[in-house]
């Protein structure tokens, strides 16, 4: 069945490694638009899936939401702090725009001075949709049709 968009988690094991890695895959119009390795320093897979389901439920009442694709707040261990998201913008109830974001190191630490980053506050950090950055470079984004029934199906799959 063709969907406008979907979320897949794939598991991989690289030669020589004794552990599995998990990737977040955002599929838009049948093609992988964005792939990101999930980090499990601060969240478990069930935490990511819970956040994604809640984020998609927000589309019923909000014009913006975000899927957290990378979260590492374990700075006590000397890890590199950061957050990766795919921000979603609902345009006049007919289209969805998806834009990846990365907040790392200095930018992330600056964000944390304003508010703690977690599953509830992550939506407060959504930035406005942009096609170009301050230097004039084109920013990545994807679009697809908005189908509320399709969103409900994805939410149900995430909650399994």
């Amino acid at each position: 069945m063709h969907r406008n968009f979907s979320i897949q988690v794939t598991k991989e094991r690289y030669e020589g490694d004794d552990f599995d890695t998990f990737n977040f895959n955002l599929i838009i119009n049948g093609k992988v638009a964005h792939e990101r390795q999930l980090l499990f320093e601060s969240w478990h897979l069930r935490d990511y899936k819970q956040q994604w389901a809640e984020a998609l439920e927000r589309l019923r009442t909000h014009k913006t939401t975000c899927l957290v694709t990378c979260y590492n707040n374990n700075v006590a261990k000397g890890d590199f702090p950061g957050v990766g998201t795919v921000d979603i913008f609902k345009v006049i109830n007919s289209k969805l725009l998806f834009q990846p974001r990365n907040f790392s190191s200095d930018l992330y630490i600056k964000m944390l001075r304003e508010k703690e980053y977690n599953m509830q506050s992550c939506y407060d950090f959504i930035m406005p949709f942009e096609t170009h950055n301050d230097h004039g470079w084109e920013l990545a984004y994807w679009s697809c049709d908005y189908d509320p029934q399709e969103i409900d199906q994805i939410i149900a799959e995430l909650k399994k």
Side-chain angles (χ1 to χ4, degrees):
M1 174 176 94
H2 174 74
R3 287 188 173 171
N4 293 307
F5 90 95
S6 62
I7 297 169
Q8 291 180 347
V9 175
T10 56
K11 181 169 77 170
E12 297 181 28
R13 179 171 288 198
Y14 296 99
E15 190 174 326
D17 288 343
D18 58 353
F19 59 91
D20 295 326
T21 61
F22 293 83
N23 292 326
F24 166 90
N25 298 284
L26 178 65
I27 317 289
I28 298 182
N29 298 320
K31 296 180 182 173
V32 176
H34 184 69
E35 181 179 15
R36 177 84 190 238
Q37 184 177 349
L38 294 171
L39 298 179
F40 298 114
E41 297 297 324
S42 300
W43 283 4
H44 298 285
L45 182 57
R46 71 179 174 276
D47 298 320
Y48 283 106
K49 287 184 173 186
Q50 176 185 340
Q51 192 278 323
W52 301 336
E54 290 172 4
L56 295 176
E57 287 172 352
R58 280 178 51 94
L59 285 173
R60 294 179 183 136
T61 57
H62 294 76
K63 292 182 181 189
T64 61
T65 192
C66 68
L67 305 171
V68 177
T69 59
C70 172
Y71 179 63
N72 185 10
N73 194 28
N74 200 354
V75 294
K77 288 178 46 180
D79 289 344
F80 191 71
V83 171
T85 65
V86 174
D87 294 348
I88 304 175
F89 304 86
K90 184 168 58 171
V91 183
I92 316 172
N93 289 330
S94 64
K95 290 272 184 202
L96 294 176
L97 300 175
F98 301 81
Q99 190 157 56
R101 307 281 187 184
N102 289 303
F103 304 99
S104 58
S105 195
D106 294 341
L107 182 57
Y108 178 68
I109 291 166
K110 182 179 176 185
M111 284 172 39
L112 291 181
R113 286 188 194 123
E114 297 175 21
K115 183 181 270 192
E116 179 183 356
Y117 195 93
N118 56 43
M119 274 193 222
Q120 292 74 38
S121 70
C122 61
Y123 309 108
D124 297 334
F125 293 92
I126 297 171
M127 298 172 63
F129 179 78
E130 298 175 307
T131 58
H132 293 79
N133 69 10
D134 294 340
H135 302 289
W137 297 344
E138 189 172 356
L139 297 172
Y141 70 91
W142 309 277
S143 67
C144 71
D145 291 333
Y146 172 62
D147 181 347
Q149 292 174 335
E150 184 177 83
I151 301 291
D152 290 343
Q153 290 173 347
I154 296 168
I155 292 168
E157 290 168 5
L158 289 168
K159 290 183 174 184
K160 285 183 185 178

